Amino acid sequence: MVEVDKSAPRVAILGTGAIGSAVVHRLLRGGYDVTVWNRTESRATELVAAGALPARSVREAVSSSTLIFLTLKDYAAVEQCLTQLDRDLSGQTIVGMYTGTPGEAWSAAQRVTRLEAQYLDAGIQASPEMIGTDAATILYSGSRHAFEQHRTTLELLSRPRFVGEAPEAAAVWDLALFGLWYDAQLGLLRALDAARDAGIDVLDFSHTASTQLGHVVAGLSATVSEMERATCPPGPADLTEHLTVVRHLIDLRVGRRLGDGGLPEVAARIEALIADGRGGEGLTATVG
Ligand SMILES: NC(=O)c1ccc[n+]([C@@H]2O[C@H](COP(=O)([O-])OP(=O)(O)OC[C@H]3O[C@@H](n4cnc5c(N)ncnc54)[C@H](OP(=O)(O)O)[C@@H]3O)[C@@H](O)[C@H]2O)c1
């Protein structure tokens, strides 16, 4: 059943790909008037049939709305849409909802500010089917006023988190979190690849790999506390012992498809700390 909210702002979604379509469906279910524009018009047809209002141009979509989401592929697409706007958009909020760099977020904020609108940059920690569920987290940065003004609407899409007034803050969070996933997943793939090549049963190996990955999660609060207090106790091994293992891993990974994962740089960093008399400290010292 549609939950009708008479005080809801008019919303425009520019870019009706996978994420944009999921956002449109959730807002329509919330009783919002939603205007849609997509570069390839035919890809918005289904949304119009579901109740969205079609706009013939970027300008038309923006002029009809107070809250505008740019759910586009990348910053190049965002820039192309923003360059089509030249009028005073005071009182309106533009949300850049795409995966981009901190520099791109900053540039988007500058462009939007020149149009007199408020800007929010959004980092999407969710897949399209998660939009509108508690499993989705969307990170926002930029105008705190815009975030508070539109909080009710943003809460329909995910658990919204405001992570800072610097427009690039959400992009830093977003990329750092993606980086965490890539490092862990690629680390797992490197380990499984090496085990399989040595004739080891990867299913059997995976049970112990799971325990090993769990150690990272279990040690998270201790690691954060070490960073905050700038103390780096050795834990299960000190830097001298870590260096031996890291060098063995570099040997194991020579010539492999996924490369060495940057371990030579890590070894060089540990060597420098040992030379500095810090060999008895733990791994957190590498970022201390
Ligand atoms: N899908 C996910 O699971 C997921 C998860 C996290 C973050 N993200 C990020 O969210 C953003 C959107 O992802 P998506 O999955 O919705 O992508 P998508 O399905 O490929 O949709 C991309 C949208 O951008 C439009 N577009 C591309 N280039 C354009 C241009 N130059 N001018 C105007 N419009 C342009 C496309 O229009 P056309 O239809 O005309 O091509 C389409 O509407 C991306 O930055 C992605 O990295 C996605």
Side-chain angles (χ1 to χ4, degrees):
M1 199 174 110
V2 172
E3 320 136 29
V4 179
D5 179 354
K6 298 278 185 212
S7 63
R10 289 191 61 119
V11 182
I13 311 296
L14 280 68
T16 57
I19 292 287
S21 295
V23 169
V24 172
H25 280 302
R26 181 63 192 100
L27 294 177
L28 287 175
R29 282 204 310 281
Y32 280 67
D33 284 334
V34 184
T35 299
V36 292
W37 173 86
N38 196 57
R39 179 183 60 175
T40 310
E41 207 179 316
S42 58
R43 292 183 70 191
T45 310
E46 185 222 316
L47 297 170
V48 172
L53 309 162
R56 279 160 303 175
S57 66
V58 170
R59 270 171 184 250
E60 187 184 315
V62 169
S63 64
S64 69
S65 308
T66 48
L67 177 60
I68 299 114
F69 289 89
L70 306 180
T71 43
L72 297 163
K73 179 171 173 251
D74 52 22
Y75 178 68
V78 167
E79 200 175 28
Q80 278 173 25
C81 287
L82 291 177
T83 50
Q84 294 176 49
L85 303 171
D86 53 14
R87 68 181 193 87
D88 176 357
L89 303 181
S90 50
Q92 292 171 270
T93 295
I94 295 182
V95 183
M97 191 172 273
Y98 65 101
T99 301
T101 67
E104 289 169 343
W106 190 85
S107 300
Q110 296 302 305
R111 282 182 176 277
V112 170
T113 304
R114 281 199 292 274
L115 295 166
E116 307 287 336
Q118 306 180 100
Y119 183 70
L120 281 172
D121 201 72
I124 315 155
Q125 291 287 312
S127 53
E129 60 280 5
M130 287 159 70
I131 296 292
T133 73
D134 281 348
T137 296
I138 302 181
L139 310 158
Y140 296 92
S141 59
S143 168
R144 187 183 293 275
H145 178 261
F147 179 79
E148 293 302 339
Q149 184 184 351
H150 295 293
R151 183 190 275 273
T152 309
T153 307
L154 302 180
E155 280 173 348
L156 285 183
L157 308 181
S158 76
R159 279 181 297 136
R161 280 208 61 175
F162 187 77
V163 296
E165 291 185 65
E168 62 273 24
V172 173
W173 271 67
D174 200 35
L175 285 182
L177 288 168
F178 279 133
L180 178 60
W181 181 83
Y182 279 112
D183 286 343
Q185 188 65 19
L186 288 168
L188 176 64
L189 288 173
R190 280 193 187 88
L192 292 173
D193 192 37
R196 184 185 54 191
D197 280 6
I200 295 165
D201 180 296
V202 286
L203 181 60
D204 189 25
F205 180 85
S206 71
H207 300 310
T208 309
S210 168
T211 307
Q212 193 75 332
L213 286 168
H215 291 323
V216 179
V217 177
L220 190 55
S221 62
T223 302
V224 170
S225 158
E226 288 169 17
M227 284 183 78
E228 284 181 343
R229 288 185 289 120
T231 55
C232 308
D238 66 19
L239 285 176
T240 310
E241 292 158 322
H242 282 306
L243 183 60
T244 304
V245 180
V246 167
R247 283 177 175 156
H248 291 333
L249 269 172
I250 291 170
D251 285 348
L252 184 72
R253 291 178 177 181
V254 166
R256 302 204 67 87
R257 278 170 288 197
L258 292 179
D260 56 32
L263 285 180
E265 289 82 358
V266 174
R269 173 79 182 131
I270 295 176
E271 283 162 10
L273 288 165
I274 292 172
D276 208 22
R278 299 176 62 185
E281 296 184 23
L283 206 55
T284 308
T286 54
V287 291

